[in-house]
Amino acid sequence: MKLNSTSKYVALALGLTITGQTYAQENSDETQSTGIFEKIQVTATKRTESIQDVPVSVSALSGEQLDALGLSDNAEITQQIPNFQVNAWSPQITIFNLRGVSQNNFVDNLEAPIAVYQDEAYVSSMNAISGQMFDIERVEVLRGPQGTLFGRNATGGLVHYISRGAEDDFTSGYLEASVGSYNRQSLEGAIGGEITDNVRGRVAFRHETADGYIKAMTDGPEGIDPRAIGGADGYGVRATLEADLSDTLLAEFIFKFSKDDDVPTGGYVFENCDFDADELCPVDASGRAIVTGGVVSGDPHVHMSDTRGFLNRETTSATLKLTKEFDDMELVSITNYLSLEKSYLEDGDAFPAPIVVFGQDMELNQFSQELRLSGNTDTLQWQVGGYYMDVEMDADALTIGAPNIDLSFDLFEAGIISAPTVFDDFPFDGRSDREYNLTVENMSIFGQIDYELATDLTLTAGLRYSKDTKEIDWVAFFSSDQQTTSIPYAATASNINSTNPNLFNVFDDDEINYSDYAARLSLNKKFTKETMGFVAWNRGIKGGNWTLSSGVSPDRFVHKPEVLNSFEVGIKTELTKNTRLNATTYYYDYTDYQTFVAIPPGEISANPQIGNSDATAYGAEFELVSSVTDNLDVLLGLAFSNSEVEEIQAGALPVINAEFPNAPSVSGNYLVRYYTELGENEIVLQFDGAYYGDQFLEVTNGPGTVQEAYNISNLSVTYQTENWTISLASKNVFDKIYKAYSLDLGALGATSYYAPPRTTNLSVKYQF
């Protein structure tokens, strides 16, 4: 089923005429800033420069723009950035998707191809991305491979959150309270300023609680968990201290802590299908569930979960940045420590019976150190550096129910257990526990130059050599009502001992040594003072890893690294004094693109698997921002994409020529903001939103994972005085029902998690 046959010709035609990129917030010297579209400086090249001068496809949202959009969670930033989506079913794991590039697996040991940085420190775990977003200076989103300067696992791009620092010489801050639909309540604030002549500080916090929007079915079978799902209960704090240690040495220290407490999880619904006599869904030759439309519960915002799901999570981060200025050089040191503790459980089947229960516990400790030296001459800007990271993870994952049925028969036939968990024995009680310790060590060196070939032509060349060493100790246990003693059935070779000599599977590949290079080569041409263009080649890399599911076979235990060669052409221009247009067209050529499927290798079990396949993609992004009048701002974005994954191993037959997940052939975003005076104060009306064309939510392209085209619109009215801001906002104002996540489980069916319906929020903010 192809969803993009028309748009690929449109994308190609537009890409040949105008190419490009960004959110374009930067004005020329003559341009007057109005509204929220003020000048933005970005650090996409690890130097502070105008977003209009960077030869990279980068979008940026300032803190004021984030406030205007009503965004308070790190995962909510995608709607006003072309070709950018988020795939999430709970706060535990955030999956960003840029130009269709993502990693949809939900196992803790995996890393995403969209690198995430917070205040210049890399975040290795997808578990640590979502959370309270407050007192932010800006968010930068870089499309395409960014491995030359930002390192490992930036194959598809990068997202960078930059916190607001302390003001130089005065005290400032704010306090904001809000209430909204589903009993949502929040309180946030910040205060900071000069402490001494050479020391500045700032402290910020946010606390939020909310009931869920996915309600329990009240007239259904007994045993349904009465808690609503999709709410929040958490807080975050951040402290920043800046000190001028000398005239040429600046120290910046940032400490962060966040906690989520017993956040309800689960909330899936099954897509309808014509069940057979065994109450299984029919499947096609590739094992994908065949659905008939609609959901089993009748309402996508009603759940029938019988297991009380929860997320408990604590995240701590400390970053020290030292900047030393020399006559014509700058030395920067960034040291970061990150720790994460998580406990998670969910009802994974959407029925009032223990068909699938899934859980994960994890402790992660990460240390990283970056050193870089930069300088410039009249015609050359350069930087060189080194990076070291050490990660240790202790984790376990459990699966109870149907995914273990085929496994139990295999173990029985191998003589490891006395009796299998049979399909007719309902509920399915087989349980698999996977315990592992993972260590990752990365060392890399990098350098990049920008050489002025002529007054209007600059060559950029960059190279990074990266070496990963990963080791894993993994053992899996099986138990059931018939097999009450938990016994090991699979392990890496290092875990074999006298107590488990007869394992069903032994995996020798418990170490991955991987080294490769990322590279960048581009030409940046300044056509006029208002217009620049660039052509670029980038080579991005992402290391291999392990599939740690209950039924993984030795030939699928390890998946290969992926390599992406990206080719881009872009233009950034000011059409008029107050109107700017940026655009990029791209072509991707993947070797060993990493694919994720949950379609079972057997008849019933659904076990996540990672594979590799070559793939290609192309598309374009356009962004237009205009201050039409002193009272009216308009932002428009448009994106086109086309992709093809050659072969995905799924059921009996592979899936051929599939599309990337979360990659609609056409998508767009819009924002209209109107200002009018009311006495000495101001009223602001804003209408914004995004349109997404037909798309698949999983790379298998199963019919149960289709999300048809939809539009999400938001509306707000804001009253502003010198110190006070009062805002009434409605998100998803037309109450559109759409999927936030979908998973094809083969004969077990396709499950989906639906995004929130219309919500309303009232906030009051005092600034000083």
Side-chain angles (χ1 to χ4, degrees):
M1 178 178 181
K2 301 299 288 181
L3 302 180
N4 57 10
S5 57
T6 301
S7 66
K8 67 180 181 181
Y9 303 108
V10 178
L12 183 59
L14 289 174
L16 291 172
T17 57
I18 188 167
T19 54
Q21 187 276 143
T22 180
Y23 198 91
Q25 316 301 346
E26 175 67 28
N27 303 309
S28 68
D29 293 340
E30 294 82 7
T31 301
Q32 297 296 314
S33 271
T34 63
I36 61 171
F37 296 128
E38 80 282 7
K39 295 182 179 181
I40 285 187
Q41 302 288 308
V42 297
T43 54
T45 58
K46 295 206 170 180
R47 293 190 304 267
T48 301
E49 52 190 328
S50 163
I51 197 171
Q52 291 297 97
D53 296 332
V54 180
V56 177
S57 180
V58 54
S59 294
L61 295 172
S62 70
E64 188 175 4
Q65 291 158 1
L66 294 170
D67 289 342
L69 293 167
L71 307 183
S72 59
D73 188 282
N74 290 335
E76 294 179 333
I77 63 173
T78 59
Q79 197 172 92
Q80 286 299 317
I81 297 176
N83 251 342
F84 190 31
Q85 292 197 67
V86 64
N87 192 321
W89 67 96
S90 82
Q92 76 139 346
I93 286 183
T94 300
I95 302 168
F96 284 132
N97 187 298
L98 266 172
R99 295 174 172 172
V101 178
S102 64
Q103 173 57 273
N104 284 9
N105 202 333
F106 41 77
V107 182
D108 288 335
N109 65 293
L110 298 177
E111 296 175 89
I114 308 301
V116 173
Y117 276 70
Q118 294 181 355
D119 295 311
E120 300 188 72
Y122 174 60
V123 179
S124 64
S125 174
M126 292 184 287
N127 292 270
I129 297 174
S130 71
Q132 308 275 353
M133 185 170 64
F134 54 96
D135 203 35
I136 294 292
E137 179 70 26
R138 69 183 180 276
V139 178
E140 301 175 11
V141 178
L142 283 63
R143 301 180 189 87
Q146 304 298 326
T148 303
L149 293 179
F150 290 94
R152 64 200 307 277
N153 299 338
T155 322
L158 178 138
V159 181
H160 192 181
Y161 301 88
I162 296 102
S163 305
R164 184 169 295 156
E167 301 289 347
D168 286 340
D169 55 5
F170 58 89
T171 300
S172 64
Y174 69 94
L175 187 66
E176 180 177 7
S178 68
V179 294
S181 303
Y182 303 102
N183 198 29
R184 186 170 296 273
Q185 303 176 48
S186 68
L187 181 67
E188 73 171 83
I191 186 171
E194 187 178 61
I195 300 173
T196 69
D197 290 343
N198 299 320
V199 179
R200 301 161 298 280
R202 189 172 181 89
V203 177
F205 75 94
R206 178 178 171 83
H207 180 270
E208 182 178 38
T209 60
D211 297 336
Y213 64 90
I214 304 174
K215 303 296 184 180
M217 180 177 285
T218 57
D219 56 352
E222 295 183 2
I224 295 176
D225 178 15
R227 292 207 302 178
I229 295 169
D233 189 351
Y235 67 89
V237 295
R238 181 173 61 248
T240 303
L241 189 68
E242 301 176 2
D244 300 315
L245 302 182
S246 72
D247 291 342
T248 60
L249 181 59
L250 171 66
E252 302 170 78
F253 178 73
I254 303 175
F255 175 81
K256 306 172 190 175
F257 177 80
S258 64
K259 182 176 182 179
D260 297 285
D261 185 22
D262 194 25
V263 178
T265 60
Y268 302 101
V269 291
F270 265 120
E271 304 291 319
N272 280 322
C273 69
D274 294 326
F275 293 103
D276 61 21
D278 291 328
E279 298 186 350
L280 296 175
C281 283
V283 298
D284 63 14
S286 296
R288 300 173 295 188
I290 299 174
V291 300
T292 58
V295 298
V296 172
S297 66
D299 185 339
H301 294 138
V302 169
H303 75 81
M304 295 190 291
S305 301
D306 64 315
T307 299
R308 183 183 175 90
F310 61 84
L311 169 66
N312 294 314
R313 179 178 58 181
E314 292 186 4
T315 306
T316 304
S317 175
T319 303
L320 175 64
K321 179 180 179 181
L322 299 172
T323 304
K324 174 66 176 178
E325 299 286 348
F326 300 97
D327 290 340
D328 56 357
M329 293 187 298
E330 180 183 78
L331 178 64
V332 176
S333 168
I334 301 172
T335 307
N336 173 259
Y337 172 75
L338 172 69
S339 70
L340 171 68
E341 295 185 12
K342 180 197 74 171
S343 182
Y344 180 81
L345 188 72
E346 70 173 26
D347 186 321
D349 57 64
F351 278 121
I355 300 174
V356 181
V357 176
F358 176 72
Q360 293 177 311
D361 291 330
M362 188 260 278
E363 293 185 11
L364 176 139
N365 291 283
Q366 172 190 314
F367 170 82
S368 64
Q369 173 66 54
E370 178 176 340
L371 284 172
R372 67 175 184 266
L373 182 67
S374 61
N376 61 80
T377 66
D378 291 340
T379 59
L380 178 68
Q381 291 183 308
W382 59 269
Q383 54 183 307
V384 295
Y387 181 81
Y388 173 79
M389 183 185 70
D390 181 81
V391 177
E392 181 168 358
M393 179 188 299
D394 287 304
D396 62 80
L398 70 88
T399 307
I400 302 173
N404 300 307
I405 293 175
D406 287 336
L407 171 65
S408 69
F409 273 98
D410 291 338
L411 296 177
F412 172 70
E413 292 174 0
I416 296 176
I417 63 174
S418 57
T421 298
V422 296
F423 182 74
D424 293 335
D425 186 14
F426 185 85
F428 319 118
D429 62 277
R431 171 171 175 157
S432 172
D433 291 86
R434 287 87 65 199
E435 300 176 0
Y436 60 94
N437 172 267
L438 172 68
T439 59
V440 180
E441 185 178 57
N442 175 266
M443 292 182 288
S444 60
I445 54 174
F446 61 90
Q448 183 162 301
I449 62 168
D450 297 281
Y451 181 67
E452 190 175 289
L453 300 174
T455 55
D456 58 358
L457 184 65
T458 302
L459 170 70
T460 298
L463 186 68
R464 186 185 194 105
Y465 172 78
S466 180
K467 179 176 176 57
D468 262 5
T469 301
K470 300 180 181 178
E471 296 182 2
I472 192 165
D473 290 328
W474 180 73
V475 60
F477 298 88
F478 180 84
S479 61
S480 67
D481 286 349
Q482 294 81 15
Q483 179 64 53
T484 56
T485 301
S486 181
I487 62 168
Y489 68 87
T492 51
S494 57
N495 279 322
I496 299 176
N497 54 50
S498 59
T499 62
N500 57 6
N502 298 316
L503 297 175
F504 180 67
N505 274 329
V506 177
F507 303 99
D508 295 321
D509 300 317
D510 54 4
E511 184 173 333
I512 295 176
N513 291 302
Y514 169 69
S515 60
D516 205 343
Y517 71 94
R520 174 174 176 80
L521 190 65
S522 69
L523 280 174
N524 175 15
K525 171 72 172 177
K526 192 77 172 178
F527 297 104
T528 67
K529 186 176 181 180
E530 295 80 18
T531 303
M532 64 85 74
F534 66 91
V535 294
W537 164 71
N538 285 280
R539 186 181 194 269
I541 57 175
K542 181 177 185 287
N545 212 307
W546 295 274
T547 295
L548 306 181
S549 63
S550 58
V552 63
S553 58
D555 61 318
R556 299 293 294 274
F557 185 55
V558 179
H559 52 273
K560 301 175 186 177
E562 66 180 18
V563 176
L564 171 60
N565 282 282
S566 167
F567 305 89
E568 292 185 329
V569 183
I571 190 168
K572 303 182 181 185
T573 184
E574 295 184 2
L575 300 177
T576 67
K577 182 178 179 180
N578 294 315
T579 301
R580 301 174 300 281
L581 172 68
N582 298 316
T584 304
T585 187
Y586 65 91
Y587 176 80
Y588 282 178
D589 186 4
Y590 263 105
T591 301
D592 290 324
Y593 168 78
Q594 295 172 1
T595 63
F596 162 69
V597 302
I599 294 175
E603 295 181 356
I604 300 171
S605 301
N607 289 294
Q609 307 278 324
I610 303 290
N612 295 96
S613 173
D614 292 344
T616 57
Y618 61 85
E621 300 102 19
F622 305 84
E623 292 180 284
L624 176 74
V625 60
S626 178
S627 297
V628 181
T629 68
D630 291 341
N631 301 82
L632 180 64
D633 290 336
V634 175
L635 169 69
L636 299 174
L638 183 63
F640 301 92
S641 67
N642 181 284
S643 56
E644 185 175 283
V645 184
E646 288 186 5
E647 182 175 301
I648 301 165
Q649 296 300 321
L653 292 177
V655 178
I656 305 298
N657 298 336
E659 298 178 20
F660 284 170
N662 293 107
S665 56
V666 180
S667 59
N669 56 280
Y670 50 88
L671 183 150
V672 179
R673 189 170 174 87
Y674 179 74
Y675 309 80
T676 184
E677 292 183 357
L678 183 63
E680 296 182 354
N681 302 314
E682 187 176 57
I683 290 181
V684 183
L685 301 176
Q686 179 171 300
F687 182 70
D688 63 86
Y691 167 83
Y692 302 100
D694 294 350
Q695 60 184 302
F696 295 103
L697 301 185
E698 199 179 71
V699 75
T700 59
N701 291 187
T705 70
V706 172
Q707 172 58 59
E708 296 181 351
Y710 66 99
N711 174 77
I712 297 297
S713 295
N714 313 302
L715 183 64
S716 67
V717 56
T718 303
Y719 176 71
Q720 297 180 159
T721 71
E722 182 177 356
N723 299 104
W724 291 91
T725 302
I726 303 173
S727 181
L728 179 64
S730 179
K731 293 185 178 182
N732 192 6
V733 67
F734 299 122
D735 205 20
K736 179 64 180 178
I737 296 175
Y738 64 100
K739 301 175 185 177
Y741 178 80
S742 192
L743 185 65
D744 194 322
L745 300 175
L748 295 179
T751 61
S752 298
Y753 185 88
Y754 280 77
R758 179 174 52 241
T759 59
T760 304
N761 188 78
L762 174 66
S763 64
V764 179
K765 182 177 183 179
Y766 176 73
Q767 302 175 81
F768 57 90

